[in-house]
Amino acid sequence: MNASEGQIHPTALVAVGARLGRNVSIGAQSIVHPGVEIGDGTVIQEHCSIGLPGVDAGSPLVIGPGSLIRTHSVIYGGSVLGERLETGHHVVIREKTRAGINLRVGNFCDIEGDCAIGDYSRFHGYAHVGKGSHIGNFVWLFSLTTATNDPLPPSLLNVPVVIEDGAVVCVGVTLMPGVVIGKGAFVSAGSCVRESIPSGAVVAGLDGHVVNHVSQLLHLPSGLRHPWMRHYRKGYPPEAVARLEKLEKEILENRFTLKTENE
Amino acid sequence: MNASEGQIHPTALVAVGARLGRNVSIGAQSIVHPGVEIGDGTVIQEHCSIGLPGVDAGSPLVIGPGSLIRTHSVIYGGSVLGERLETGHHVVIREKTRAGINLRVGNFCDIEGDCAIGDYSRFHGYAHVGKGSHIGNFVWLFSLTTATNDPLPPSLLNVPVVIEDGAVVCVGVTLMPGVVIGKGAFVSAGSCVRESIPSGAVVAGLDGHVVNHVSQLLHLPSGLRHPWMRHYRKGYPPEAVARLEKLEKEILENRFTLKTENE
Amino acid sequence: MNASEGQIHPTALVAVGARLGRNVSIGAQSIVHPGVEIGDGTVIQEHCSIGLPGVDAGSPLVIGPGSLIRTHSVIYGGSVLGERLETGHHVVIREKTRAGINLRVGNFCDIEGDCAIGDYSRFHGYAHVGKGSHIGNFVWLFSLTTATNDPLPPSLLNVPVVIEDGAVVCVGVTLMPGVVIGKGAFVSAGSCVRESIPSGAVVAGLDGHVVNHVSQLLHLPSGLRHPWMRHYRKGYPPEAVARLEKLEKEILENRFTLKTENE
């Protein structure tokens, strides 16, 4: 049953048309559909459905090397997902999603398709990424983030959100259609963001107003302070450090000029 | 593995007592329990549990023709679900639910049983429909809607909500026990509804107060305006159009007399 | 397919190293990994992954007797879960969780590991229990409760919450890192709790301020009144009644001295 040894479990169902790299593991009861291409060393755990045919059935699914897809995950055909992808359990990723390297997606997340996601982004549990969302590099979406896209529900309008590099969206936040979360901005827990947010801004409250610059966010007992890439580099591979340092500088640039409601 | 061709996958487990219509497909690893009756042309995808025995084990489950049950769905015995039902992935529908035609239920939804649901209703992801809820026709529940039923938690009291035809409940809304959401009312994102809402009302804020009539809700760039059945008929089958037009008229009836907090 | 008769379904995969008590049932397609110990009479339903190897692969998982694990549940190795555990569908319980007797965990819950949970606690759907949380006996977490643990997200700081005996956390509540929810306290729907709450306090609002003592919470039509253990003993086994009575008395002790914002 253990899928960690580069083996295809006898109860796994792998389509003839699927292309598996070296040392790929497919766990018990998992299903790999035709048109799936899985990179070297990737582990698919148990009970997964990989390459499920969607609206554009037949277009291939690419999962990069070194990835880990946890149990009960569902990934549709028609996406290209970069190396070292990690999904939690019971994840859904719909078609036409393009993700960079080392995306991590928590348990029960739902990525609704047509999304573009950069490198090294991290989504926690129950994050819901609406169709067409644009998400940058090093972005954090904490639990129960909802990125909407319909400005007059229900309608056929589609106005997805944009989340720029290094932004942090805390638990229980709703992002209304079309908002742009600027580079390195920080959205506090429970906020509802109705307007775009400048780079480096901290927003809070149900109306998501700007209260501060992230460089003012600190944790007194430890002395740690934002931007978070100052103190949180563990969990990122070494090759990402130079990009994190560059991003930190860019976020700090406007720290003396940002307009907040405290002024 | 592809369950779209009217076939029972060799790894599917179909009980002797189950009755399958013509061209029913059962996907790999899915399980159909005794007492299940599945209509013609219905597709059950992979990893599902259909007709799971619940508190009244043995009572049958009816799934209407032309339905699509996506992967990892769980539907208990003892419900009657109308034709052209569609579920997302990882959905749970408990016993004694009665649903009309063409209900669509998004990923990770939980319908807790003893519910009555009309025709053509649409629930998005993570919607939680408490036990005993009454939901009309053409109702929209967006992501993370929670329909509660216990007025003094925890207790054995059960005071479920009622949602009338054409009502729209936006993302992240909590409906407190016993509230009635009137015909065509619109509950804005993040509201907590503690009192019943008149037909056609728009409510907003944490206290869910009435701010407007839905006919005042519009999207400037496109010129689209509520009631939503004016502009959103796609996605409904042709036979539903006359009912949508009738519903639109009914919702507009009180637009000059509704009391709001803006007056 | 029916797993209720003390049988191992032929499609279940049970590792040689797993130890099953008498009359244990393992449902179709479920997987039991090495190092799992399952008590007498426990039922594992279909499509489950039990004893999945986590960060400390190889440490055993103990599931007490008389438990019911519903479909599509995922429980990692390295936890000890007491007798009469019940999980909903699609539940995730990570490693190093210690739970007392008769814990019930609703559909789509996520217990992130390193947690200590007392006896007879009840979690409803989509409750998210952050890593390291301490949860007492007879605690209620309603739907969409989120117990966080990172005071400066993202960071490596870990400041989990503590929820004392008999506390009730209503739907959609966020508990910020490090808060202590006192014995028998009641957190109203939608609150965000940023500071610790005294025993027996009722908190409400986005800032989670104290408004009352729980003995003032009542349901007029029925005359029922908190503390909830006065009227809600059904659902608990008889041996728990004496403990519920003792807890009720302890919660009532400070009812005349609690400071609230109404004073």
PDB file of all heavy atoms in Angstrom, chain C residues 177-203:
ATOM      1  N   PRO C 177      -4.419  33.022  17.574  1.00  0.00           N
ATOM      2  CA  PRO C 177      -3.392  32.213  18.246  1.00  0.00           C
ATOM      3  C   PRO C 177      -3.282  32.498  19.737  1.00  0.00           C
ATOM      4  O   PRO C 177      -3.286  33.661  20.151  1.00  0.00           O
ATOM      5  CB  PRO C 177      -2.106  32.631  17.528  1.00  0.00           C
ATOM      6  CG  PRO C 177      -2.558  33.078  16.187  1.00  0.00           C
ATOM      7  CD  PRO C 177      -3.885  33.738  16.411  1.00  0.00           C
ATOM      8  N   GLY C 178      -3.197  31.453  20.513  1.00  0.00           N
ATOM      9  CA  GLY C 178      -2.897  31.584  21.933  1.00  0.00           C
ATOM     10  C   GLY C 178      -4.069  31.887  22.827  1.00  0.00           C
ATOM     11  O   GLY C 178      -3.905  31.926  24.048  1.00  0.00           O
ATOM     12  N   VAL C 179      -5.259  32.128  22.290  1.00  0.00           N
ATOM     13  CA  VAL C 179      -6.372  32.445  23.184  1.00  0.00           C
ATOM     14  C   VAL C 179      -6.767  31.206  23.991  1.00  0.00           C
ATOM     15  O   VAL C 179      -6.617  30.075  23.550  1.00  0.00           O
ATOM     16  CB  VAL C 179      -7.619  32.986  22.422  1.00  0.00           C
ATOM     17  CG1 VAL C 179      -7.280  34.270  21.688  1.00  0.00           C
ATOM     18  CG2 VAL C 179      -8.208  31.952  21.489  1.00  0.00           C
ATOM     19  N   VAL C 180      -7.248  31.479  25.197  1.00  0.00           N
ATOM     20  CA  VAL C 180      -7.786  30.427  26.056  1.00  0.00           C
ATOM     21  C   VAL C 180      -9.292  30.663  26.177  1.00  0.00           C
ATOM     22  O   VAL C 180      -9.726  31.731  26.619  1.00  0.00           O
ATOM     23  CB  VAL C 180      -7.146  30.469  27.458  1.00  0.00           C
ATOM     24  CG1 VAL C 180      -7.767  29.402  28.364  1.00  0.00           C
ATOM     25  CG2 VAL C 180      -5.641  30.290  27.359  1.00  0.00           C
ATOM     26  N   ILE C 181     -10.071  29.686  25.786  1.00  0.00           N
ATOM     27  CA  ILE C 181     -11.523  29.779  25.915  1.00  0.00           C
ATOM     28  C   ILE C 181     -11.863  29.064  27.221  1.00  0.00           C
ATOM     29  O   ILE C 181     -11.702  27.853  27.326  1.00  0.00           O
ATOM     30  CB  ILE C 181     -12.232  29.095  24.718  1.00  0.00           C
ATOM     31  CG1 ILE C 181     -11.678  29.608  23.372  1.00  0.00           C
ATOM     32  CG2 ILE C 181     -13.746  29.289  24.818  1.00  0.00           C
ATOM     33  CD1 ILE C 181     -11.870  31.075  23.136  1.00  0.00           C
ATOM     34  N   GLY C 182     -12.321  29.865  28.196  1.00  0.00           N
ATOM     35  CA  GLY C 182     -12.512  29.319  29.537  1.00  0.00           C
ATOM     36  C   GLY C 182     -13.606  28.264  29.609  1.00  0.00           C
ATOM     37  O   GLY C 182     -14.446  28.124  28.709  1.00  0.00           O
ATOM     38  N   LYS C 183     -13.608  27.589  30.722  1.00  0.00           N
ATOM     39  CA  LYS C 183     -14.552  26.496  30.957  1.00  0.00           C
ATOM     40  C   LYS C 183     -16.000  26.944  30.721  1.00  0.00           C
ATOM     41  O   LYS C 183     -16.461  27.915  31.324  1.00  0.00           O
ATOM     42  CB  LYS C 183     -14.391  26.011  32.390  1.00  0.00           C
ATOM     43  CG  LYS C 183     -15.104  24.729  32.684  1.00  0.00           C
ATOM     44  CD  LYS C 183     -14.942  24.335  34.148  1.00  0.00           C
ATOM     45  CE  LYS C 183     -13.555  23.813  34.430  1.00  0.00           C
ATOM     46  NZ  LYS C 183     -13.395  23.370  35.834  1.00  0.00           N
ATOM     47  N   GLY C 184     -16.698  26.239  29.851  1.00  0.00           N
ATOM     48  CA  GLY C 184     -18.106  26.522  29.622  1.00  0.00           C
ATOM     49  C   GLY C 184     -18.403  27.844  28.957  1.00  0.00           C
ATOM     50  O   GLY C 184     -19.565  28.256  28.885  1.00  0.00           O
ATOM     51  N   ALA C 185     -17.409  28.528  28.424  1.00  0.00           N
ATOM     52  CA  ALA C 185     -17.668  29.793  27.717  1.00  0.00           C
ATOM     53  C   ALA C 185     -18.408  29.510  26.410  1.00  0.00           C
ATOM     54  O   ALA C 185     -18.422  28.374  25.912  1.00  0.00           O
ATOM     55  CB  ALA C 185     -16.363  30.524  27.458  1.00  0.00           C
ATOM     56  N   PHE C 186     -19.024  30.573  25.879  1.00  0.00           N
ATOM     57  CA  PHE C 186     -19.857  30.436  24.679  1.00  0.00           C
ATOM     58  C   PHE C 186     -19.457  31.525  23.689  1.00  0.00           C
ATOM     59  O   PHE C 186     -19.609  32.716  23.984  1.00  0.00           O
ATOM     60  CB  PHE C 186     -21.334  30.588  25.082  1.00  0.00           C
ATOM     61  CG  PHE C 186     -22.327  30.415  23.968  1.00  0.00           C
ATOM     62  CD1 PHE C 186     -22.976  29.194  23.777  1.00  0.00           C
ATOM     63  CD2 PHE C 186     -22.648  31.468  23.118  1.00  0.00           C
ATOM     64  CE1 PHE C 186     -23.915  29.029  22.754  1.00  0.00           C
ATOM     65  CE2 PHE C 186     -23.585  31.310  22.088  1.00  0.00           C
ATOM     66  CZ  PHE C 186     -24.219  30.079  21.910  1.00  0.00           C
ATOM     67  N   VAL C 187     -18.956  31.138  22.537  1.00  0.00           N
ATOM     68  CA  VAL C 187     -18.522  32.095  21.520  1.00  0.00           C
ATOM     69  C   VAL C 187     -19.590  32.135  20.433  1.00  0.00           C
ATOM     70  O   VAL C 187     -19.855  31.137  19.764  1.00  0.00           O
ATOM     71  CB  VAL C 187     -17.168  31.693  20.918  1.00  0.00           C
ATOM     72  CG1 VAL C 187     -16.697  32.753  19.938  1.00  0.00           C
ATOM     73  CG2 VAL C 187     -16.133  31.474  22.009  1.00  0.00           C
ATOM     74  N   SER C 188     -20.214  33.300  20.260  1.00  0.00           N
ATOM     75  CA  SER C 188     -21.330  33.429  19.328  1.00  0.00           C
ATOM     76  C   SER C 188     -20.883  33.309  17.866  1.00  0.00           C
ATOM     77  O   SER C 188     -19.722  33.579  17.534  1.00  0.00           O
ATOM     78  CB  SER C 188     -22.008  34.779  19.531  1.00  0.00           C
ATOM     79  OG  SER C 188     -22.398  34.919  20.883  1.00  0.00           O
ATOM     80  N   ALA C 189     -21.841  32.983  17.019  1.00  0.00           N
ATOM     81  CA  ALA C 189     -21.567  32.768  15.597  1.00  0.00           C
ATOM     82  C   ALA C 189     -20.840  33.950  14.976  1.00  0.00           C
ATOM     83  O   ALA C 189     -21.198  35.100  15.196  1.00  0.00           O
ATOM     84  CB  ALA C 189     -22.881  32.524  14.860  1.00  0.00           C
ATOM     85  N   GLY C 190     -19.819  33.664  14.198  1.00  0.00           N
ATOM     86  CA  GLY C 190     -19.127  34.691  13.431  1.00  0.00           C
ATOM     87  C   GLY C 190     -18.126  35.521  14.191  1.00  0.00           C
ATOM     88  O   GLY C 190     -17.482  36.400  13.609  1.00  0.00           O
ATOM     89  N   SER C 191     -17.941  35.273  15.476  1.00  0.00           N
ATOM     90  CA  SER C 191     -16.983  36.071  16.249  1.00  0.00           C
ATOM     91  C   SER C 191     -15.544  35.745  15.867  1.00  0.00           C
ATOM     92  O   SER C 191     -15.232  34.654  15.402  1.00  0.00           O
ATOM     93  CB  SER C 191     -17.145  35.801  17.750  1.00  0.00           C
ATOM     94  OG  SER C 191     -18.365  36.322  18.211  1.00  0.00           O
ATOM     95  N   CYS C 192     -14.696  36.727  16.110  1.00  0.00           N
ATOM     96  CA  CYS C 192     -13.258  36.520  15.985  1.00  0.00           C
ATOM     97  C   CYS C 192     -12.666  36.781  17.367  1.00  0.00           C
ATOM     98  O   CYS C 192     -12.734  37.902  17.865  1.00  0.00           O
ATOM     99  CB  CYS C 192     -12.693  37.495  14.956  1.00  0.00           C
ATOM    100  SG  CYS C 192     -10.949  37.249  14.641  1.00  0.00           S
ATOM    101  N   VAL C 193     -12.153  35.748  17.980  1.00  0.00           N
ATOM    102  CA  VAL C 193     -11.706  35.848  19.368  1.00  0.00           C
ATOM    103  C   VAL C 193     -10.222  36.170  19.403  1.00  0.00           C
ATOM    104  O   VAL C 193      -9.392  35.376  18.970  1.00  0.00           O
ATOM    105  CB  VAL C 193     -11.998  34.542  20.135  1.00  0.00           C
ATOM    106  CG1 VAL C 193     -11.500  34.655  21.571  1.00  0.00           C
ATOM    107  CG2 VAL C 193     -13.479  34.220  20.095  1.00  0.00           C
ATOM    108  N   ARG C 194      -9.880  37.363  19.910  1.00  0.00           N
ATOM    109  CA  ARG C 194      -8.490  37.838  19.925  1.00  0.00           C
ATOM    110  C   ARG C 194      -7.884  37.817  21.317  1.00  0.00           C
ATOM    111  O   ARG C 194      -6.678  37.954  21.475  1.00  0.00           O
ATOM    112  CB  ARG C 194      -8.429  39.265  19.379  1.00  0.00           C
ATOM    113  CG  ARG C 194      -8.889  39.357  17.945  1.00  0.00           C
ATOM    114  CD  ARG C 194      -9.016  40.784  17.451  1.00  0.00           C
ATOM    115  NE  ARG C 194      -9.661  40.805  16.157  1.00  0.00           N
ATOM    116  CZ  ARG C 194      -9.049  40.544  15.000  1.00  0.00           C
ATOM    117  NH1 ARG C 194      -7.770  40.277  14.985  1.00  0.00           N
ATOM    118  NH2 ARG C 194      -9.714  40.550  13.851  1.00  0.00           N
ATOM    119  N   GLU C 195      -8.739  37.701  22.341  1.00  0.00           N
ATOM    120  CA  GLU C 195      -8.235  37.645  23.718  1.00  0.00           C
ATOM    121  C   GLU C 195      -8.897  36.498  24.460  1.00  0.00           C
ATOM    122  O   GLU C 195     -10.001  36.067  24.108  1.00  0.00           O
ATOM    123  CB  GLU C 195      -8.539  38.962  24.431  1.00  0.00           C
ATOM    124  CG  GLU C 195      -7.804  40.112  23.790  1.00  0.00           C
ATOM    125  CD  GLU C 195      -7.918  41.391  24.593  1.00  0.00           C
ATOM    126  OE1 GLU C 195      -8.401  41.332  25.748  1.00  0.00           O
ATOM    127  OE2 GLU C 195      -7.528  42.441  24.063  1.00  0.00           O
ATOM    128  N   SER C 196      -8.244  36.038  25.508  1.00  0.00           N
ATOM    129  CA  SER C 196      -8.775  34.902  26.250  1.00  0.00           C
ATOM    130  C   SER C 196     -10.107  35.257  26.898  1.00  0.00           C
ATOM    131  O   SER C 196     -10.387  36.418  27.188  1.00  0.00           O
ATOM    132  CB  SER C 196      -7.764  34.453  27.296  1.00  0.00           C
ATOM    133  OG  SER C 196      -6.638  33.911  26.623  1.00  0.00           O
ATOM    134  N   ILE C 197     -10.919  34.261  27.110  1.00  0.00           N
ATOM    135  CA  ILE C 197     -12.296  34.442  27.559  1.00  0.00           C
ATOM    136  C   ILE C 197     -12.470  33.742  28.896  1.00  0.00           C
ATOM    137  O   ILE C 197     -12.104  32.578  29.034  1.00  0.00           O
ATOM    138  CB  ILE C 197     -13.252  33.819  26.527  1.00  0.00           C
ATOM    139  CG1 ILE C 197     -13.111  34.549  25.189  1.00  0.00           C
ATOM    140  CG2 ILE C 197     -14.680  33.837  27.013  1.00  0.00           C
ATOM    141  CD1 ILE C 197     -13.932  33.922  24.108  1.00  0.00           C
ATOM    142  N   PRO C 198     -13.045  34.447  29.894  1.00  0.00           N
ATOM    143  CA  PRO C 198     -13.211  33.802  31.207  1.00  0.00           C
ATOM    144  C   PRO C 198     -14.230  32.667  31.156  1.00  0.00           C
ATOM    145  O   PRO C 198     -15.093  32.624  30.285  1.00  0.00           O
ATOM    146  CB  PRO C 198     -13.741  34.933  32.096  1.00  0.00           C
ATOM    147  CG  PRO C 198     -13.837  36.155  31.271  1.00  0.00           C
ATOM    148  CD  PRO C 198     -13.538  35.831  29.863  1.00  0.00           C
ATOM    149  N   SER C 199     -14.135  31.829  32.133  1.00  0.00           N
ATOM    150  CA  SER C 199     -15.085  30.726  32.283  1.00  0.00           C
ATOM    151  C   SER C 199     -16.519  31.240  32.328  1.00  0.00           C
ATOM    152  O   SER C 199     -16.810  32.228  33.002  1.00  0.00           O
ATOM    153  CB  SER C 199     -14.765  29.969  33.575  1.00  0.00           C
ATOM    154  OG  SER C 199     -15.778  29.036  33.853  1.00  0.00           O
ATOM    155  N   GLY C 200     -17.394  30.591  31.572  1.00  0.00           N
ATOM    156  CA  GLY C 200     -18.818  30.927  31.626  1.00  0.00           C
ATOM    157  C   GLY C 200     -19.215  32.170  30.865  1.00  0.00           C
ATOM    158  O   GLY C 200     -20.399  32.526  30.834  1.00  0.00           O
ATOM    159  N   ALA C 201     -18.276  32.847  30.227  1.00  0.00           N
ATOM    160  CA  ALA C 201     -18.598  34.088  29.521  1.00  0.00           C
ATOM    161  C   ALA C 201     -19.224  33.802  28.163  1.00  0.00           C
ATOM    162  O   ALA C 201     -18.897  32.822  27.503  1.00  0.00           O
ATOM    163  CB  ALA C 201     -17.341  34.929  29.341  1.00  0.00           C
ATOM    164  N   VAL C 202     -20.136  34.701  27.765  1.00  0.00           N
ATOM    165  CA  VAL C 202     -20.645  34.701  26.400  1.00  0.00           C
ATOM    166  C   VAL C 202     -19.937  35.832  25.665  1.00  0.00           C
ATOM    167  O   VAL C 202     -19.968  36.977  26.125  1.00  0.00           O
ATOM    168  CB  VAL C 202     -22.163  34.964  26.367  1.00  0.00           C
ATOM    169  CG1 VAL C 202     -22.678  35.004  24.933  1.00  0.00           C
ATOM    170  CG2 VAL C 202     -22.905  33.925  27.183  1.00  0.00           C
ATOM    171  N   VAL C 203     -19.325  35.546  24.546  1.00  0.00           N
ATOM    172  CA  VAL C 203     -18.712  36.611  23.763  1.00  0.00           C
ATOM    173  C   VAL C 203     -19.432  36.706  22.425  1.00  0.00           C
ATOM    174  O   VAL C 203     -20.017  35.748  21.933  1.00  0.00           O
ATOM    175  CB  VAL C 203     -17.200  36.399  23.533  1.00  0.00           C
ATOM    176  CG1 VAL C 203     -16.465  36.360  24.852  1.00  0.00           C
ATOM    177  CG2 VAL C 203     -16.944  35.167  22.729  1.00  0.00           C
TER     178      VAL C 203
END
